[in-house]
């Protein structure tokens, strides 16, 4: 913004109000405060932004000093949960932004967090709203939390979208991808990169573009005001979270690329603890619920919460062999995709054929 005052828009692709301990323990309030102070222009709701329930989500939306969008999320009363679109000013250029959230949300957060909500087909919703937005704006941007493949389908199905700024699939797009007449960008995951897209617009048409990813590294100068806000939230939790509760002699592997595709030692440990806690014969844990690795050395309570941030409940069930097989089949049905359903197990072993049909 300092380089091109008023000509830069900062958009966020969702899953923003959950992740680190200060964010989880404040139920997203710390992130909303920091992003508001930093000048975010708009965000779309990701599936993990529902993790604290609807009423808490509504409070975060009220606190935010930027529009929160999801045009395809509808309440039981038939009303939109949050805004559908926003009209933003980029130095005299009117940019219409449409928010679209994944229909997977009821399966990727606790169902109770979205009880009564309906997640409509994003392509159908975009097909209805994009023409209306195009009539008001010089440029139409779909801000999505759908995943890269769904973004490609959206670009082909709905004409009139100039840019899709995406999230959900953690895709690293080193350069913008053009599908039909639509540019698609996505900046990987967890604040590792800032995605930059520069557009030359003439008469409402994108006549030139360039873009890429800027690595976020410690060498980038910080902002003192934001650093103070972040430190304040971290200080509130430090005494509680710094308590040492264990230690490990080896690295415990919780990397996303591993726990969503194969058995790991950390997946085994978590599944073993679940089985012992439930006094069960076997335990199944979805790999996507494990969110980071643990280095050798002391383990703090904060590390435990970072590994397992979702406050899930251990449940014991009486299952038939057929039901166990069905659960395992579901767990490996999308392999080798990095799906959160991949099973980390205890008390059993299994083999599967990735070339066979699910």
């Amino acid at each position: 913004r300092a380089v091109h005052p008023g000509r830069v828009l900062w958009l966020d692709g969702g899953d923003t109000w959950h992740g680190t301990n200060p964010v989880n323990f404040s139920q997203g309030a710390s992130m909303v405060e920091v992003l508001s102070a930093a000048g975010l222009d708009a965000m779309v709701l990701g599936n993990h932004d529902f993790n604290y329930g609807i009423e808490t989500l509504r409070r975060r939306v009220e606190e935010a000093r930027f529009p929160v969008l999801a045009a395809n999320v509808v309440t039981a009363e038939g009303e939109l949960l949050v805004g559908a679109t926003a009209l933003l000013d980029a130095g005299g250029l009117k940019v219409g932004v449409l928010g679209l959230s994944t229909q997977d949300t009821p399966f990727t957060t606790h169902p109770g967090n979205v009880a009564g909500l309906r997640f409509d087909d994003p392509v159908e919703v975009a097909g209805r709203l994009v023409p209306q937005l195009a009539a008001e704006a010089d440029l139409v941007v779909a801000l999505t939390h759908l995943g890269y493949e769904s973004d490609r389908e959206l670009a082909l199905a709905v004409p009139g979208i100039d840019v899709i700024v995406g999230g959900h699939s953690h895709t690293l797009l080193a350069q913008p991808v053009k599908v039909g007449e639509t540019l698609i960008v996505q900046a990987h995951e967890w604040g590792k990169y800032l995605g930059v897209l520069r557009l030359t617009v003439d008469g409402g048409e994108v006549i030139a573009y360039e873009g890429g990813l800027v690595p976020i590294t410690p060498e980038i100068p910080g902002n003192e005001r934001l650093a103070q806000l972040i430190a304040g939230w971290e200080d509130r939790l430090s005494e509680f979270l710094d308590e040492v509760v264990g230690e490990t002699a080896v690295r415990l592997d919780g990397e996303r690329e591993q726990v969503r595709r194969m058995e790991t030692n950390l997946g085994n440990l978590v599944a073993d603890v679940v089985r012992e806690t439930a006094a069960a014969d076997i335990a199944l844990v979805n790999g996507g619920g494990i969110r980071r690795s643990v280095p050798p050395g002391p383990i703090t309570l904060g590390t435990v919460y970072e590994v397992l941030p979702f406050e899930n409940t251990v449940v014991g069930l009486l299952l038939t062999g057929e039901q166990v097989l069905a659960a395992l089949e579901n767990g490996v049905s999308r392999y080798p995709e990095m799906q959160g359903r991949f099973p980390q197990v205890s008390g059993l072993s299994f083999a599967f054929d990735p070339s066979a049909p699910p």
Side-chain angles (χ1 to χ4, degrees):
R1 291 176 182 229
V3 179
H4 303 286
R7 302 290 289 181
V8 176
L9 295 179
W10 176 21
L11 306 176
D12 188 286
D15 275 5
T16 304
W17 300 345
H18 197 270
T20 63
N21 284 324
V23 181
N24 298 345
F25 277 86
S26 67
Q27 297 191 311
S30 58
M31 184 62 80
V32 169
E33 181 181 33
V34 170
L35 289 178
S36 293
L40 183 66
D41 286 297
M43 70 167 277
V44 63
L45 289 177
N47 48 292
H48 288 303
D49 298 315
F50 291 84
N51 281 358
Y52 316 111
I54 297 171
E55 293 311 311
T56 299
L57 185 150
R58 285 187 167 123
R59 286 198 294 274
R60 298 292 87 86
V61 172
E62 290 175 359
E63 293 162 1
R65 299 202 300 271
F66 50 85
V68 179
L69 307 174
N72 62 322
V73 182
V74 182
T75 69
E77 294 74 33
E79 301 175 349
L80 287 173
L81 178 67
V82 296
T85 63
L87 197 60
L88 305 178
D89 177 37
L93 189 76
K94 294 180 181 178
V95 180
V97 181
L98 166 69
L100 297 168
S101 298
T102 176
Q103 289 184 289
D104 291 341
T105 300
F107 310 104
T108 50
T109 187
H110 191 288
N113 294 335
V114 293
L117 294 181
R118 190 179 79 233
F119 290 77
D120 290 339
D121 180 359
V123 172
E124 186 277 326
V125 172
R128 178 164 38 87
L129 294 181
V130 165
Q132 300 175 23
L133 203 54
E136 302 179 72
D138 301 308
L139 199 71
V140 174
V141 176
L143 182 57
T144 73
H145 195 85
L146 304 175
Y148 177 60
E149 292 304 324
S150 295
D151 285 340
R152 292 182 64 92
E153 293 171 8
L154 177 66
L156 292 172
V158 181
I161 301 174
D162 296 295
V163 179
I164 296 176
V165 178
H168 189 47
S169 57
H170 299 235
T171 304
L172 191 157
L173 295 181
Q175 300 289 331
V177 175
K178 193 167 187 179
V179 177
E181 296 302 313
T182 302
L183 295 171
I184 301 176
V185 294
Q186 192 175 149
H188 199 32
E189 61 188 13
W190 302 329
K192 294 176 181 176
Y193 297 93
L194 173 68
V196 177
L197 177 65
R198 297 181 179 89
L199 302 175
T200 303
V201 181
D202 184 17
E205 298 290 330
V206 178
I207 60 173
Y209 67 91
E210 62 173 336
L213 302 179
V214 178
I216 303 299
T217 66
E219 288 71 38
I220 296 176
N223 179 287
E224 185 176 348
R225 182 188 174 203
L226 298 181
Q228 290 175 350
L229 285 177
I230 294 168
W233 283 103
E234 290 177 340
D235 288 346
R236 299 180 207 185
L237 290 172
S238 61
E239 183 176 346
F240 168 63
L241 295 177
D242 288 347
E243 179 188 355
V244 175
V245 294
E247 63 179 328
T248 176
V250 300
R251 180 178 181 273
L252 300 175
D253 188 354
E255 296 304 305
R256 176 186 176 88
E257 294 80 3
Q258 303 294 95
V259 294
R260 293 170 179 244
R261 283 179 174 161
M262 65 186 71
E263 180 182 25
T264 77
N265 58 356
L266 181 54
N268 286 337
L269 175 61
V270 173
D272 286 348
V273 170
V274 169
R275 179 162 69 101
E276 182 177 319
T277 301
D281 298 303
I282 65 172
L284 307 177
V285 174
N286 64 305
I290 298 171
R291 307 300 280 194
R292 61 157 285 186
S293 297
V294 182
I299 300 173
T300 66
L301 192 60
T303 300
V304 175
Y305 274 103
E306 289 174 355
V307 171
L308 302 167
F310 298 114
E311 298 190 359
N312 290 330
T313 302
V314 173
V315 177
L317 298 169
L318 186 63
L319 298 177
T320 66
E322 184 179 29
Q323 289 170 323
V324 173
L325 284 172
L328 292 171
E329 183 67 42
N330 174 66
V332 299
S333 62
R334 301 287 289 276
Y335 182 90
E337 296 177 28
M338 287 189 294
Q339 291 284 327
R341 70 185 68 197
F342 189 91
Q344 303 290 329
V345 301
S346 177
L348 65 94
S349 61
F350 71 98
F352 69 98
D353 179 1
S355 66

